[in-house]
Amino acid sequence: MKVWAVLLLFAVANAKHEQYQGWKSYFVKPFNTVQLQVLGSVVEKYGIDFLSNPAVERNGLALVKPELHEDFIKSLRNHGIAYKIHAEDVKAQLDIDDELMEKRRRKSSGMKNGTIPLDNYLELEEIYDYIDYIAEQYPDLVTIISPGNSFEGRPLKYLKISTTNFEDKNKPIILIDAGFFGRDWITPSIVLYALHNLTQSDMLHDYDWILIPVANPDGYKYSFTNDRFWIKTRSTDQHLLSIVCPGVNVNRNFDFFWNTIGTSNTPCADNYAGSKPLSEKETFLLNDSLGEFISRVVLDISLHSYGSLILFPWGHDGSLSNHAFALQSVGVSIADTIYANSLPDFPRYIVGNSALVTGIETSGTGIDYAHMLGIPLTFNLRLPGIEEGTEGFQLDPEYIEQLAKETWAGIVVGARRAAELFGNTRN
Ligand SMILES: *[C@@H]1O[C@H](CO)[C@@H](O)[C@H](O)[C@H]1NC(C)=O
Ligand SMILES: *[C@@H]1O[C@H](CO)[C@@H](O)[C@H](O)[C@H]1NC(C)=O
Ligand SMILES: *[C@@H]1O[C@H](CO)[C@@H](O)[C@H](O)[C@H]1NC(C)=O
């Protein structure tokens, strides 16, 4: 009896990640902008999924399905692009990630009366429990707003944090979001650390804060239960094919050069832009609910994983906005601060225009849209990820706390600089 139970458990555990049987992952390193552009077109042509975008002389990590191995490698060879296998068997590496998390879960005693849970990647419920706890503990500072529900009916949530209940219109607002993409599991942890720190530090005197811990809860949940690499929402009402291929890419769904480049019209693609701008409840409700604050926001940081990049507009054509100098300068301040607080093994952040740094043009992104609405400083901050020689697809959970602290240190400096530069012009 017991043996059967064990065997059954084993079978269930191994049935996970079945859809990635036969997939391989590759480190790919372009040495100049020409090779970077070539990689961009390979992505376009084959729909290769870069878990981490390559930059010049910086490894990207490509996930390649079995039927594309040959063509993908051939394209790289034809253009002399350096590559190296990361995982011969993507499913096996995903199982390693699971084991690491499971091991830590057994060691951890769970959330102890609201201790900040930074020792592991967090389930959606754990994230919501923590913010509820903090909002209860600090009712004068922290308010949870739910502008409505996700497509699958989960509450969308963001936090307003202020010593003056958002009533002092002279205070600049700092906006931080996480969890646009289901699979970006490390990003909500950074927001939870920010929340924790804001209740303890002096960063509330001069600024109001809006934190979005998980912008796309359905996608986040689905990446835990069904598909580790899931990016999109889970909507099924966008296209005839949405029933078989649900979901829209949140970061292609905003109303700025919507669906013009770096997007797809088929819902089966990861970069499907939706049936119209703000078609998703996750984007529409956010846009609707945050509208009244936009004119006071001086800094908007959208947290993603991964690649150690700080990217800014415009993404659709690589041109520079009127605020390009401030974007570059504040981006470098954030990067330098993170570096000064970082571990020696983590790569240094690259700062720049998103299309120029990654070689991939993208339309309808959150940061381009927010910048178009008038927020002077908008960044897509891609946290550090795995390096050559490491196993699995996510950073060992033991580094989460370190990343949260160093990233927060960078955000604090970014907030101060943003307020110096734009605090008087934005209210
Ligand atoms: C949690 O708080 C309760 C009530 O304040 C207390 O009785 C309990 O000992 C605490 N538990 C832990 C693990 O700190
Ligand atoms: C999105 O927000 C902007 C700025 O508040 C507003 O002008 C626009 O009408 C909103 N879009 C939709 C579709 O509600
Ligand atoms: C809050 O963040 C600041 C800036 O990184 C740091 O110096 C401080 O120690 C943090 N405080 C707490 C209570 O975590």
Side-chain angles (χ1 to χ4, degrees):
M1 187 64 207
K2 238 180 177 168
V3 175
W4 281 113
V6 169
L7 280 180
L8 192 65
L9 242 173
F10 189 72
V12 170
N14 273 278
K16 241 194 138 181
H17 312 308
E18 215 48 76
Q19 67 265 54
Y20 292 106
Q21 200 92 55
W23 285 54
K24 294 182 198 292
S25 54
Y26 297 89
F27 287 112
V28 181
K29 190 188 263 182
F31 277 97
N32 51 43
T33 48
V34 177
Q35 289 191 344
L36 187 66
Q37 303 286 326
V38 169
L39 274 174
S41 63
V42 169
V43 172
E44 186 88 357
K45 185 168 167 202
Y46 298 112
I48 301 285
D49 181 5
F50 272 102
L51 205 54
S52 175
N53 276 114
V56 171
E57 294 193 47
R58 169 70 62 88
N59 271 324
L61 186 66
L63 294 173
V64 185
K65 56 178 108 168
E67 58 271 32
L68 289 180
H69 289 164
E70 227 172 278
D71 288 339
F72 179 63
I73 295 301
K74 210 184 280 168
S75 305
L76 297 181
R77 288 214 175 116
N78 283 344
H79 295 95
I81 297 171
Y83 68 93
K84 192 170 167 177
I85 193 92
H86 161 252
E88 286 285 356
D89 181 350
V90 163
K91 179 188 163 358
Q93 295 297 306
L94 284 169
D95 291 338
I96 291 176
D97 282 345
D98 287 352
E99 276 165 34
L100 261 174
M101 278 176 64
E102 201 42 52
K103 223 193 278 167
R104 286 187 82 81
R105 190 156 290 143
R106 280 196 300 268
K107 261 202 268 174
S108 146
S109 39
M111 187 172 88
K112 289 186 275 332
N113 281 355
T115 326
I116 179 137
L118 289 181
D119 57 351
N120 213 339
Y121 293 97
L122 298 167
E123 298 266 0
L124 183 65
E125 294 75 10
E126 294 174 295
I127 297 166
Y128 280 3
D129 280 353
Y130 182 74
I131 63 172
D132 287 347
Y133 177 85
I134 296 293
E136 252 170 54
Q137 295 294 306
Y138 300 94
D140 296 340
L141 296 181
V142 180
T143 314
I144 300 180
I145 306 286
S146 179
N149 286 349
S150 69
F151 184 83
E152 291 184 331
R154 296 187 176 86
L156 301 169
K157 293 186 185 190
Y158 65 86
L159 300 137
K160 284 163 65 185
I161 308 161
S162 171
T163 50
T164 47
N165 199 27
F166 272 69
E167 280 158 14
D168 181 350
K169 301 277 190 276
N170 292 320
K171 280 190 185 176
I173 296 175
I174 316 295
L175 170 63
I176 304 173
D177 68 68
F180 264 37
F181 288 177
R183 71 187 183 194
D184 289 358
W185 288 1
I186 195 154
T187 60
S189 298
I190 313 299
V191 169
L192 295 197
Y193 181 77
L195 173 62
H196 159 78
N197 191 288
L198 282 173
T199 61
Q200 317 278 324
S201 72
D202 61 358
M203 287 308 287
L204 277 175
H205 290 165
D206 303 327
Y207 321 89
D208 287 345
W209 296 73
I210 295 174
L211 307 181
I212 306 170
V214 187
N216 168 18
D218 293 349
Y220 192 78
K221 187 76 194 164
Y222 194 75
S223 70
F224 274 80
T225 54
N226 291 69
D227 181 347
R228 177 63 189 92
F229 295 127
W230 190 259
I231 284 178
K232 299 185 289 178
T233 61
R234 294 292 300 162
S235 59
T236 54
D237 60 353
Q238 293 298 301
H239 189 284
L240 280 174
L241 282 175
S242 289
I243 301 289
V244 273
C245 292
V248 166
N249 187 316
V250 171
N251 212 23
R252 302 288 181 276
N253 193 232
F254 288 94
D255 197 3
F256 183 70
F257 285 87
W258 174 81
N259 203 20
T260 52
I261 193 156
T263 53
S264 170
N265 285 315
T266 156
C268 297
D270 274 343
N271 57 357
Y272 177 51
S275 62
K276 61 176 188 220
L278 303 177
S279 65
E280 301 306 279
K281 298 179 90 175
E282 291 77 2
T283 50
F284 180 85
L285 292 171
L286 205 61
N287 181 71
D288 202 40
S289 183
L290 294 182
E292 62 171 305
F293 307 118
I294 292 293
S295 64
R296 278 168 59 198
V297 179
V298 290
L299 172 67
D300 166 19
I301 296 184
S302 187
L303 297 167
H304 292 252
S305 65
Y306 52 79
S308 303
L309 306 172
I310 296 179
L311 307 173
F312 56 75
W314 303 109
H316 68 290
D317 66 356
S319 65
L320 296 178
S321 86
N322 293 340
H323 290 309
F325 180 75
L327 284 161
Q328 179 73 31
S329 157
V330 175
V332 167
S333 297
I334 296 172
D336 285 350
T337 308
I338 294 177
Y339 186 68
N341 287 276
S342 177
L343 294 180
D345 294 347
F346 289 0
R348 204 166 177 149
Y349 276 84
I350 296 173
V351 181
N353 170 284
S354 78
L356 300 183
V357 169
T358 64
I360 296 174
E361 292 170 337
T362 48
S363 58
T365 66
I367 63 162
D368 274 13
Y369 178 65
H371 199 50
M372 180 274 285
L373 289 180
I375 299 178
L377 300 172
T378 66
F379 296 104
N380 176 318
L381 190 154
R382 307 237 179 122
L383 293 151
I386 58 166
E387 297 305 309
E388 282 185 52
T390 51
E391 288 196 308
F393 288 97
Q394 64 199 20
L395 215 56
D396 187 318
E398 76 170 289
Y399 293 113
I400 295 173
E401 187 166 357
Q402 165 62 32
L403 277 201
K405 287 182 171 160
E406 67 179 49
T407 311
W408 173 248
I411 291 172
V412 164
V413 168
R416 294 215 168 97
R417 291 221 51 211
E420 275 162 29
L421 289 169
F422 297 103
N424 299 326
T425 59
R426 295 281 300 155
N427 44 54

